[in-house]
Amino acid sequence: MDVIVGIDVSKERLDVHVLPAGDSFFVGNDHAGVDELARRLTRAKAGIVALEATGGYEMLAAAGLSSTGFAVVVVNPAQVRSYAHALGKRAKTDPIDAAVIAAFVAATSPEIRPLRDEESEVFSAIVSRRRQIVQMITAEENRARMALAKETNKSIRRLLAALRRELESLDGDLDGRIRKSPLWRVREALLTSVPGVGPTTARTLIAEMPELGSLDRRRIASLAGVAPFTRQSGKWRGKSFIGGGRSRVRAVLFMAALVAARHNPVLKAFRDRLVAAGKPKIVAIVATMRKLLTILNAIIRDGKPWQSA
């Protein structure tokens, strides 16, 4: 059996469990701790190292262990918790969680994908920050419509001006990073060749879905969280839903699908066909999102821009 390592991540420490030996220990979640962890895992001849996604606290360990040469996988905490419930493990402590993560990986053998390099991480962080600035601008614009006092309006206008300057600065930074990377430059040009896909959608896909073009349409749809799943038991069949996956990708695909359903002749015809067949409009848009992602995946895979024919 390969040596499998499960790591439960918190802000201050990394709780580690090693299978099949059953060893457990913890180190600090800092550079010194990750260096010590790498030395111990090298001596243990670790094969796969698994960490839960914990809102960014796992990034230092994942990057450090990956650069040392370990096969690192970041697993979905909801799946791990469901696995723990299936095993009847109701107790939740950091050492127990680390052991459950290791057991989950041993049982499911998740696919090991290359982690993003440092430049990709920075690009993704800037894209995320841009999204936050846009949300703040929208919130302030909504407040401006409701504000009655002159002083309040002046404060909102000052803040909006500062936010728009920051948005312009972030866009300039993203432009510069795209220009410096031949791969990203080509990918952005290919993605934006599709009517309905603008720079924001293209850059979010570059940042959040580096697997685009390397997976088949079903797996890429599942990764983005736009693959439908159905509740069914015997003759009863419930409604299909989408969920999970990468919410940021799903959000930009939704907006792109709304635009494409009006301005992209192929996707407009596709969406109109579904509505004419009696599908609810939201169902038609979700299907359009999935169709758009399939097209983008094929375009990146083949390296050929959009052709309306």
Side-chain angles (χ1 to χ4, degrees):
M1 178 181 177
D2 289 337
V3 176
I4 297 174
V5 180
I7 301 178
D8 183 75
V9 181
S10 64
K11 183 178 180 180
E12 302 295 337
R13 61 188 250 176
L14 305 170
D15 283 88
V16 184
H17 187 86
V18 182
L19 290 178
D23 297 334
S24 295
F25 59 92
F26 71 88
V27 297
N29 190 3
D30 51 29
H31 289 285
V34 172
D35 290 342
E36 179 188 348
L37 177 58
R39 288 192 293 270
R40 296 185 69 162
L41 296 186
T42 299
R43 290 197 297 270
K45 298 181 179 179
I48 300 175
V49 181
L51 309 91
E52 273 190 339
T54 54
Y57 291 137
E58 79 282 0
M59 295 309 301
L60 177 62
L65 294 174
S66 179
S67 65
T68 309
F70 293 103
V72 177
V73 58
V74 179
V75 295
N76 186 325
Q79 293 177 332
V80 174
R81 187 45 41 195
S82 295
Y83 179 76
H85 286 315
L87 295 179
K89 293 184 180 294
R90 296 182 178 273
K92 189 180 189 315
T93 67
D94 295 340
I96 289 175
D97 285 351
V100 170
I101 292 168
F104 171 78
V105 172
T108 60
S109 301
E111 182 180 355
I112 308 296
R113 299 194 186 98
L115 296 180
R116 294 181 295 191
D117 58 25
E118 184 177 354
E119 183 65 21
S120 298
E121 291 291 350
V122 172
F123 187 81
S124 177
I126 297 172
V127 169
S128 296
R129 182 56 182 163
R130 185 191 187 281
R131 180 169 50 252
Q132 293 166 359
I133 295 295
V134 169
Q135 290 170 347
M136 285 189 275
I137 289 174
T138 301
E140 288 303 308
E141 287 175 339
N142 290 337
R143 293 187 184 102
R145 283 192 285 270
M146 301 295 293
L148 299 178
K150 184 185 297 184
E151 290 75 9
T152 303
N153 265 304
K154 287 172 64 177
S155 172
I156 291 172
R157 285 199 299 272
R158 285 196 301 269
L159 183 53
L160 278 172
L163 289 171
R164 285 167 180 150
R165 285 195 301 271
E166 184 60 24
L167 183 62
E168 185 177 345
S169 175
L170 290 174
D171 283 337
D173 196 353
L174 290 172
D175 287 341
R177 292 177 183 276
I178 288 284
R179 283 196 299 271
K180 290 178 183 177
S181 170
L183 175 61
W184 290 350
R185 195 162 61 244
V186 169
R187 285 198 161 206
E188 184 181 47
L190 288 171
L191 294 171
T192 55
S193 71
V194 180
V197 177
T200 298
T201 300
R203 291 173 181 183
T204 301
L205 290 173
I206 290 170
E208 304 292 343
M209 188 158 280
E211 301 89 349
L212 199 66
S214 63
L215 303 178
D216 63 37
R217 61 185 178 87
R218 291 183 178 85
R219 292 169 70 197
I220 205 71
S222 178
L223 198 61
V226 295
F229 57 90
T230 303
R231 297 181 301 164
Q232 183 175 351
S233 178
K235 294 183 179 180
W236 176 82
R237 185 180 179 89
K239 293 182 178 180
S240 294
F241 295 89
I242 63 170
R246 298 178 185 173
S247 58
R248 297 169 182 172
V249 171
R250 198 163 56 248
V252 296
L253 284 176
F254 180 77
M255 298 306 298
L258 290 176
V259 176
R262 296 180 60 189
H263 301 291
N264 185 309
V266 172
L267 292 174
K268 182 179 186 303
F270 175 78
R271 182 259 183 197
D272 290 348
R273 245 187 345 263
L274 292 176
V275 173
K279 297 290 185 183
K281 290 182 179 179
I282 187 62
V283 172
I285 284 296
V286 170
T288 305
M289 291 167 59
R290 195 159 52 248
K291 179 80 168 176
L292 174 59
L293 182 60
T294 299
I295 291 171
L296 296 174
N297 190 52
I299 281 176
I300 295 297
R301 180 195 65 212
D302 299 337
K304 295 180 180 178
W306 165 265
Q307 295 178 348
S308 59

